[in-house]
């Protein structure tokens, strides 16, 4: 009995020592990250920081946290933010956001509320903290202010593929019940009767980056996409439905090359929206509509379009017809 008691006391002492060492390392890492951001010109302030959870957890909690990026002018203020981890699984962390935040831009301030917003991250052990898997979910996101908007549900997922390509990840996005700002809807609808709420946006893609995602993505520069295999991108807004699949290569300037297969239901209304948004010029809209109308009739349904869009030399093309500049795919 005496030996058992001694063994229990020794084990408890060792575990307490492990927790204290781990908590000290975590505190130094967090404080170092905030100091590095301030040295880069960020606002990275908080009124209090606690690392608690002895003996089985490392729970880091900040109060009155304010972060502002000088390059973009975006800022986020939160009354409380937490990063939680089990002490025996320190590389699996959960981030928990408060139900009320403030998002600031150089021009305005927007209160942001949510019903439940949290993220889960699995990291590979090691000093680089390479990302293995990440998931974020949020319900009932409401952005107030001059341009109110809301979202019923948002899910984001990113998982590193196993094997010899650690820089390749599968990405997933699901957004349901999005209500864009009314002014934006009025500007791009061109008089069309669109519902106030978009039913769904879904993306499933496999993306190869310049390097794996790790702590340097926050501290220095983001990895950049180099190849995108788009399994499915689908958006539905009322009677407008757009789907896309295909493969794109992305060069060092962020310009894509390759081909996407598009299926568009009620495509004429989408073309009008593209013109209203400035993505397609008025001068080319007539030629595009005539050409696409012919292609749709050849497919058997004049309201549904099945076409291929080619990306090359910084532009987008339906066959020989240029429809506009290609988007620049760079992460800042």
């Amino acid at each position: 009995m005496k030996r058992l008691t001694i063994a229990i006391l020794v084990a408890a002492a060792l575990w307490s020592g492990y927790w204290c060492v781990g908590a000290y390392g975590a505190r130094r890492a967090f404080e170092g990250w905030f100091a590095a951001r301030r040295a880069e010109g960020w606002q990275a302030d908080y009124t209090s920081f606690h690392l608690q959870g002895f003996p089985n957890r490392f729970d880091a909690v900040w109060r009155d946290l304010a972060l502002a990026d000088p390059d973009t002018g975006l800022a986020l203020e939160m009354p409380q933010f937490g990063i939680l981890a089990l002490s025996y699984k320190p590389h699996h962390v959960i981030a928990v956001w408060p139900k009320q935040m403030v998002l600031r831009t150089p021009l305005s301030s927007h209160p942001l509320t949510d019903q439940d917003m949290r993220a889960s991250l699995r990291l590979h052990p090691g000093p680089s903290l390479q990302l293995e898997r990440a998931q974020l979910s949020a319900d009932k996101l409401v952005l107030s202010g001059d341009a109110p908007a809301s979202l019923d549900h948002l899910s984001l997922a990113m998982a590193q593929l196993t094997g010899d390509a650690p820089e390749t990840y599968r990405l997933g996005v699901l957004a349901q019940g999005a209500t864009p700002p009314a002014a934006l809807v009025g500007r791009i609808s061109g008089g069309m009767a669109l519902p106030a709420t978009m039913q769904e946006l879904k993306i499933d893609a496999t993306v190869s980056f310049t390097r794996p995602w790790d702590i340097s993505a926050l501290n220095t520069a983001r990895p950049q996409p180099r190849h995108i295999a788009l399994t499915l991108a689908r958006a539905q807004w009322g009677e407008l439905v757009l789907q896309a699949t295909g493969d794109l290569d992305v060069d060092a300037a962020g310009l894509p090359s390759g081909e996407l297969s598009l299926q568009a239901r009620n495509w004429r209304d989408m073309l009008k929206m593209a013109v209203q948004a400035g993505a397609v010029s008025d001068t080319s809209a007539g030629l595009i509509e005539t050409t696409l109308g012919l292609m749709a009739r050849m497919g058997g349904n004049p309201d549904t379009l099945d076409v291929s869009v080619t990306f090359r030399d910084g532009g987008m093309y339906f066959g020989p017809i240029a429809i506009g500049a290609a988007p620049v795919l760079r992460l800042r």
Side-chain angles (χ1 to χ4, degrees):
M1 186 67 180
K2 181 178 179 180
R3 291 180 178 177
L4 177 60
T5 301
I6 293 174
I8 292 173
L9 291 175
V10 169
L14 290 174
W15 186 257
S16 298
Y18 163 78
W19 190 92
C20 291
V21 171
Y24 175 75
R27 176 179 289 276
R28 287 198 62 185
F30 285 129
E31 291 177 344
W33 187 88
F34 276 86
R37 300 293 75 72
R38 295 188 195 105
E40 293 174 355
W42 283 56
Q43 178 192 9
D45 301 324
Y46 49 84
T47 58
S48 67
F49 167 57
H50 300 286
L51 207 151
Q52 54 204 28
F54 179 84
N56 294 321
R57 302 184 63 86
F58 294 130
D59 292 349
V61 180
W62 293 264
R63 296 192 183 278
D64 300 320
L65 178 61
L67 299 171
D69 180 0
D71 292 333
T72 63
L74 294 178
L76 185 63
E77 298 176 2
M78 297 177 282
Q80 179 172 308
F81 177 71
I83 296 179
L84 320 176
L86 295 170
S87 55
Y88 52 88
K89 288 184 179 180
H91 298 289
H92 181 195
V93 301
I94 294 174
V96 181
W97 280 262
K99 295 187 182 300
Q100 295 183 336
M101 298 169 273
V102 177
L103 177 65
R104 300 189 188 278
T105 72
L107 300 177
S108 58
S109 175
H110 303 272
L112 177 64
T113 62
D114 67 276
Q115 193 174 86
D116 184 19
M117 182 173 175
R118 60 186 61 220
S120 170
L121 290 87
R122 289 182 181 271
L123 307 170
H124 291 289
S128 67
L129 298 178
Q130 191 176 118
L131 178 65
E132 178 185 352
R133 181 186 299 270
Q135 292 178 293
L136 181 146
S137 65
D139 291 313
K140 303 300 181 184
L141 284 166
V142 178
L143 187 69
S144 304
D146 296 336
S150 64
L151 185 62
D152 288 344
H153 176 74
L154 174 66
S155 293
L156 306 175
M158 183 175 182
Q160 187 179 46
L161 298 189
T162 58
D164 299 328
E167 73 283 357
T168 301
Y169 295 81
R170 185 176 180 185
L171 308 181
V173 177
L174 176 62
Q176 296 173 314
T179 304
L184 174 64
V185 175
R187 186 163 62 248
I188 67 175
S189 64
M192 291 180 292
L194 287 173
T197 301
M198 297 177 62
Q199 289 96 318
E200 184 179 77
L201 170 66
K202 182 185 296 184
I203 299 174
D204 181 3
T206 300
V207 182
S208 295
F209 294 90
T210 49
R211 66 178 192 277
W213 283 77
D214 56 24
I215 190 63
S216 67
L218 294 177
N219 295 342
T220 55
R222 260 58 67 195
Q224 298 300 322
R226 285 295 174 262
H227 181 79
I228 301 172
L230 184 60
T231 302
L232 176 66
R234 185 178 190 276
Q236 182 174 2
W237 192 355
E239 298 300 318
L240 307 182
V241 180
L242 179 66
Q243 293 188 169
T245 62
D247 288 86
L248 297 174
D249 291 312
V250 184
D251 66 17
L255 294 176
S257 61
E259 189 173 276
L260 293 182
S261 297
L262 298 183
Q263 183 183 77
R265 187 192 307 166
N266 295 317
W267 61 271
R268 288 184 178 83
D269 289 338
M270 295 183 193
L271 180 58
K272 292 177 183 177
M273 291 176 63
V275 173
Q276 289 290 122
V280 175
S281 66
D282 291 321
T283 55
S284 60
L287 179 59
I288 292 174
E289 182 172 8
T290 300
T291 304
L292 295 184
L294 176 61
M295 297 171 71
R297 287 192 296 272
M298 291 174 61
N301 186 341
D303 294 324
T304 299
L305 187 66
D306 285 283
V307 296
S308 294
V309 178
T310 301
F311 295 78
R312 66 174 185 271
D313 302 325
M316 300 184 295
Y317 299 84
F318 285 132
I321 304 173
I323 59 174
V328 177
L329 306 178
R330 286 194 62 82
L331 301 178
R332 295 188 59 183

